[in-house]
Amino acid sequence: QTFRVTKESALAYFVGGDKKYPDAGFALKGWKKYESTNAGVYIDGDIAITMGKVYLTNGKGETTTVDKTWGFKRDPAGKVRIFLHHSSLPYVPAK
């Protein structure tokens, strides 16, 4: 199951450590650099959605580019919370 629909499963994706999920923890892979660029930002009241590219550089200097979409919403206390996260490798047309 690649979709993370619970707090427990989403946390496992980012930091691992849960035997129910095979994730090693994406955030713990030793990234040395992280950059992002937005292609679009949509804001409506307490909701914001961004989409763009993320550039992750590992300890060997190799960069991985990922298409990324984030959804944010202010909770009742005013804190910004992530309610949507999607990433995928960029589309490469067949030759």
Side-chain angles (χ1 to χ4, degrees):
Q1 171 60 280
T2 59
F3 295 102
R4 303 294 189 224
V5 296
T6 65
K7 181 179 179 179
E8 176 184 58
S9 63
L11 195 57
Y13 170 79
F14 285 106
V15 296
D18 190 321
K19 292 180 183 176
K20 289 185 266 179
Y21 303 96
D23 303 303
F26 179 80
L28 305 177
K29 291 191 174 193
W31 303 111
K32 299 299 179 191
K33 187 176 178 185
Y34 173 97
E35 292 181 74
S36 65
T37 58
N38 286 323
V41 176
Y42 172 81
I43 300 173
D44 186 7
D46 286 346
I47 293 177
I49 299 172
T50 65
M51 61 182 172
K53 301 259 186 222
V54 172
Y55 308 93
L56 302 153
T57 305
N58 65 20
K60 297 177 183 177
E62 302 163 330
T63 300
T64 299
T65 301
V66 180
D67 291 341
K68 192 74 92 169
T69 303
W70 293 92
F72 304 94
K73 182 173 180 11
R74 286 194 190 278
D75 70 11
K79 288 189 172 186
V80 176
R81 304 291 185 171
I82 297 169
F83 73 85
L84 168 72
H85 163 261
H86 178 264
S87 60
S88 58
L89 295 173
Y91 172 71
V92 178
K95 293 182 179 184

